[in-house]
């Protein structure tokens, strides 16, 4: 099912096609899932669990590193997950694809992945402020989304993927903004 999403997005996921690829009757998936939403919810749950695991492994592997190195390692893990699982990644953040109240395991998996981002923000910014977490998440998620669905001006294929990984390694990712640019800011804004 994940392969279907990676190949053609959510529109390509039908019970009939899932059955065909699994080599079973078209009614067989209904023994495991009530509906197409059930399959999507299961895939999204697996996606959040895998993303959480990737982030956890990156944090563990860089436990003795600087905050910048740890942040970069987790950024690369997030981006790599998105690039290896584009269909699942795209629907993980589409709450219009499922009813969270009907899928508590999905909500729990999402919260577990978010807790990894929370821990990373604490390392990166030395703060538990949820805005720090949101800032970090927006940066890396936005980068992943631009690579997957961005404008042609960014490039394509390996070129844009290298660009995204280079953006994580660039100082802008870990150093943020500085006050020393105030004179240039005035020029840009005038």
């Amino acid at each position: 099912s994940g392969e279907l999403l990676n190949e053609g997005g959510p529109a390509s996921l039908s019970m009939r096609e899932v059955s065909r690829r699994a080599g079973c009757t078209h009614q067989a998936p209904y023994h495991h899932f009530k509906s197409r939403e059930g399959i999507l919810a299961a895939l999204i749950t697996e996606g959040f669990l895998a993303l959480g695991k990737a982030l956890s492994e990156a944090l563990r592997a860089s436990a003795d590193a600087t905050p910048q190195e740890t942040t970069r390692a987790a950024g690369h893990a997030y981006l790599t997950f998105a690039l290896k699982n584009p269909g699942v990644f795209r629907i993980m953040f589409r709450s219009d694809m499922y009813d969270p109240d009907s899928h508590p395991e999905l909500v729990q998996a999402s919260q577990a992945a978010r807790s990894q981002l929370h821990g990373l923000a604490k390392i990166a910014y030395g703060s538990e402020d949820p805005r720090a977490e949101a800032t970090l998440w927006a940066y890396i998620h936005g980068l992943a989304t631009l690579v997957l669905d961005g404008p042609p001006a960014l490039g394509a294929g390996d070129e844009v993927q290298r660009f995204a990984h280079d953006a994580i390694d660039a100082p802008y990712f870990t150093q943020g903004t500085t006050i020393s640019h105030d004179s240039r800011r005035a020029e840009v804004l005038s």
Side-chain angles (χ1 to χ4, degrees), residues 81-134:
F81 171 82
L83 295 175
K84 286 184 177 178
N85 306 283
V88 172
F89 180 80
R90 285 179 179 112
I91 65 166
M92 286 168 59
F93 302 95
R94 295 262 322 264
S95 58
D96 63 321
M97 303 294 290
Y98 57 89
D99 175 16
D101 294 332
S102 298
H103 305 284
E105 69 286 351
L106 184 155
V107 174
Q108 187 176 22
S110 171
Q111 290 169 340
R114 183 173 178 199
S115 74
Q116 295 299 319
L117 287 167
H118 178 78
L120 177 60
K122 188 175 177 182
I123 292 168
Y125 300 118
S127 173
E128 294 208 30
D129 186 329
R131 294 172 295 186
E133 176 189 335

Side-chain angles (χ1 to χ4, degrees), residues 11 31-32 55 59 66 71 89 104-105 113 125 135 156 171 179 186 188:
H31 295 294
H32 303 283
L55 292 170
L59 291 172
T66 66
T71 303
F89 180 80
E105 69 286 351
Y125 300 118
T135 299
I179 296 173
V188 171

Side-chain angles (χ1 to χ4, degrees), residues 3-113:
E3 291 175 9
L4 276 172
L5 287 175
N6 289 338
E7 292 169 10
S12 68
L13 187 68
S14 70
M15 296 296 256
R16 187 170 297 278
E17 183 59 17
V18 168
S19 302
R20 188 186 72 74
R21 290 203 180 188
C24 59
T25 68
H26 68 279
Q27 290 299 317
Y30 289 103
H31 295 294
H32 303 283
F33 303 100
K34 291 180 184 176
S35 64
R36 178 178 177 272
E37 180 183 317
I39 292 175
L40 286 171
L43 290 169
I44 293 166
T45 299
E46 288 176 15
F48 278 120
L49 291 172
L51 176 59
K53 181 180 179 188
L55 292 170
S56 175
E57 289 173 357
L59 291 172
R60 192 172 27 260
S62 60
D64 296 328
T66 66
Q68 292 83 3
E69 292 166 337
T70 301
T71 303
R72 285 186 181 112
H76 286 296
Y78 194 103
L79 180 60
T80 299
F81 171 82
L83 295 175
K84 286 184 177 178
N85 306 283
V88 172
F89 180 80
R90 285 179 179 112
I91 65 166
M92 286 168 59
F93 302 95
R94 295 262 322 264
S95 58
D96 63 321
M97 303 294 290
Y98 57 89
D99 175 16
D101 294 332
S102 298
H103 305 284
E105 69 286 351
L106 184 155
V107 174
Q108 187 176 22
S110 171
Q111 290 169 340

Side-chain angles (χ1 to χ4, degrees), residues 76 79-80 82-84 86 143-144 146-148 154-168:
H76 286 296
L79 180 60
T80 299
L83 295 175
K84 286 184 177 178
L143 187 59
L146 282 171
V147 170
L148 292 174
L154 283 178
D158 291 342
E159 175 188 6
V160 72
Q161 290 180 25
R162 273 191 306 278
F163 173 80
H165 282 288
D166 288 348
I168 292 169

